[in-house]
Amino acid sequence: TLSVQSPEAITINYDAELKEVVENSRLEKAKETYKFGGANFKEFLKSCLGAPVSVELNDKSKIQGELLLVEDVMVPSNTKDIPPHNETVIHLFCKPNKIQHVSLAQMDNIEILDLYLQDQLSKFLHSTMIQRKPVRKATGKTDIIFGTEGSQPGQLKVSYVDRVEEWKCSYRLEVSKEGEKVPVHVFGRVRNPTSDNWESVALKLVANELELLRKTQNKKGG
């Protein structure tokens, strides 16, 4: 519970601390981009089917076309030293109405010509990097900002009530042989469960529940 006393009108703002930071991080991760395959290069090319590309071969010649198909094909053995093996081959739909196939082993590089996919690939890589960054954890603390429109200097009194453990009473009776009066001393046992040091603090002990009084009232009512 926060209590503020000021001679002028005052504005109190509670900072959301890291809640906004965490939420913005989640929104950043949730930004939608083109669904590129990222398991391996073959899966990446499969996710770009239909895109116009330019393939440069090992001999520096180039082939342009639309990415039609990516598959693994069995290459038979020509010699005894090289057994049959699989090779990844891409098929391109080239002009005029011609389909060419190129193995990845023949390729030196491939260029994506579609401007939209170029932009989406850049955003996809950025989003992937953001997702790998650690997200700041909330500390549980909240900033409270006080502001006033008053032009004259004045005093601001701020107090708050925090959750603490209940205080308990200890009683001491001093019984003497002389006299009929028996003084009773009451001590309040207070424990600091927080991580802050209490130095020169003023304590006010409030009796929230009077069990003895309740029992007495119940007996009288019965």
Side-chain angles (χ1 to χ4, degrees):
T1 303
L2 180 66
S3 175
V4 180
Q5 297 179 7
S6 173
E8 302 286 345
I10 190 169
T11 303
I12 304 175
N13 294 320
Y14 290 83
D15 192 354
E17 202 237 351
L18 289 178
K19 292 181 181 179
E20 293 183 358
V21 175
V22 174
E23 185 64 24
N24 291 338
S25 177
R26 290 175 180 172
L27 293 176
E28 185 70 23
K29 291 183 178 181
K31 285 183 178 179
E32 293 292 335
T33 60
Y34 186 88
K35 300 299 182 181
F36 291 98
N40 51 55
F41 188 55
K42 181 179 72 174
E43 294 300 322
F44 171 77
L45 291 177
K46 282 185 176 181
S47 67
C48 298
L49 292 180
V53 296
S54 175
V55 178
E56 183 175 339
L57 305 180
N58 295 329
D59 61 1
K60 302 305 178 183
S61 61
K62 292 185 178 182
I63 303 175
Q64 287 190 5
E66 295 177 356
L67 196 56
L68 177 64
L69 185 64
V70 181
E71 62 177 346
D72 290 333
V73 298
M74 177 64 69
V75 179
S77 176
N78 295 328
T79 63
K80 295 181 180 180
D81 298 332
I82 303 177
H85 60 281
N86 286 329
E87 279 191 0
T88 301
V89 176
I90 65 171
H91 302 269
L92 300 174
F93 181 67
C94 307
K95 296 180 181 180
N97 301 325
K98 180 173 63 175
I99 297 178
Q100 289 186 260
H101 63 273
V102 181
S103 68
L104 291 186
Q106 295 176 291
M107 292 171 47
D108 183 70
N109 62 74
I110 182 170
E111 179 184 1
I112 299 176
L113 302 178
D114 185 81
L115 297 179
Y116 171 76
L117 284 185
Q118 291 176 9
D119 177 67
Q120 288 295 298
L121 180 57
S122 177
K123 292 180 179 179
F124 173 77
L125 294 175
H126 177 73
S127 176
T128 302
M129 179 194 67
I130 292 297
Q131 292 182 28
R132 295 183 182 275
K133 289 184 176 181
V135 178
R136 293 174 58 193
K137 296 182 179 180
T139 62
K141 297 181 179 179
T142 302
D143 292 334
I144 304 177
I145 303 172
F146 302 93
T148 179
E149 298 180 356
S151 58
Q152 300 297 327
Q155 292 185 350
L156 180 66
K157 183 179 180 182
V158 180
S159 61
Y160 71 96
V161 178
D162 199 1
R163 294 181 179 178
V164 295
E165 292 187 0
E166 294 181 352
W167 67 278
K168 298 180 180 179
C169 288
S170 294
Y171 301 93
R172 187 177 70 183
L173 297 177
E174 295 183 356
V175 181
S176 61
K177 295 181 180 180
E178 299 177 356
E180 297 179 356
K181 294 183 179 180
V182 179
V184 178
H185 299 275
V186 182
F187 300 92
R189 290 185 295 164
V190 181
R191 191 175 73 89
N192 180 9
T194 68
S195 58
D196 299 327
N197 295 326
W198 289 356
E199 298 180 1
S200 301
V201 296
L203 293 179
K204 292 183 180 180
L205 303 182
V206 180
N208 290 331
E209 297 182 3
L210 299 178
E211 296 294 340
L212 295 177
L213 181 60
R214 289 182 180 179
K215 292 180 180 180
T216 303
Q217 290 178 347
N218 291 336
K219 288 182 180 179
K220 291 182 178 179

